Amino acid sequence: MDLKLEVVVLPVSDVDRAKAFYEEAGFRLDVDYVADENYRVVHLTPPGSQASILFGTGVTTAAPGSVQGLHLIVSDIEEAHAELSARGVPMGEIFHDAGGVFHRGTDEARVSGPHPERASYGSFVAFTDPDGNGWVLQEVTTRLPGR
């Protein structure tokens, strides 16, 4: 059985502002559907992704900005950082974890710069959307066996 993550629902306070932000970041607009003043669905897909994001009016009761830890995989963390910065996305600095594995949900043990050996899964950069929903770019160049 295949289980494929298709959509992540993001809580936002201003649908048009969020739509503009994600389009500026390079996400493809798939749907912008308005049923009435109480229901609007905006669906966008990150470049190269099979999974998408969805937000709008009447689609979630979660607080705007409450989604954290969304990861986008990139093959070159420095190139991705530069491209998103050039698109106007406020990016943090590239970092790696002092332990050399994944990263923590806090700034604890963050070391500035990419992983010293540029180990796959080892380099990160974080950014947030205008509501504070948190994203992390993670550099993956080689998948672990079986993944």
Side-chain angles (χ1 to χ4, degrees):
M1 169 176 62
D2 287 342
L3 299 173
K4 297 178 181 178
L5 179 63
E6 184 70 24
V7 174
V8 175
V9 177
L10 295 179
V12 302
S13 61
D14 182 322
V15 177
D16 289 321
R17 179 181 70 179
K19 179 183 171 189
F21 173 83
Y22 285 106
E23 286 184 309
E24 187 69 25
F27 287 43
R28 180 189 71 233
L29 177 64
D30 298 315
V31 173
D32 186 347
Y33 172 78
V34 179
D36 55 47
E37 68 274 356
N38 296 314
Y39 189 68
R40 177 180 178 188
V41 175
V42 177
H43 182 260
L44 299 113
T45 303
S49 181
Q50 302 257 337
S52 302
I53 61 169
L54 181 146
F55 53 82
T57 306
V59 298
T60 182
T61 58
S66 61
V67 174
Q68 300 298 312
L70 297 165
H71 280 62
L72 295 170
I73 301 306
V74 299
S75 59
D76 186 316
I77 198 78
E78 291 172 328
E79 181 180 300
H81 183 275
E83 182 173 330
L84 285 173
S85 293
R87 290 176 168 272
V89 176
M91 304 294 294
E93 70 173 347
I94 297 171
F95 67 92
H96 63 282
D97 189 86
V101 182
F102 201 59
H103 69 91
R104 300 151 210 256
T106 66
D107 291 342
E108 180 185 352
R110 282 190 181 181
V111 179
S112 182
H115 186 278
E117 289 119 35
R118 293 297 286 269
S120 202
Y121 299 93
S123 300
F124 309 90
V125 64
F127 69 95
T128 60
D129 73 9
D131 283 290
N133 292 302
W135 293 86
V136 177
L137 301 183
Q138 180 179 24
E139 185 175 71
V140 176
T141 55
T142 304
R143 293 277 180 183
L144 297 173
R147 303 228 171 5

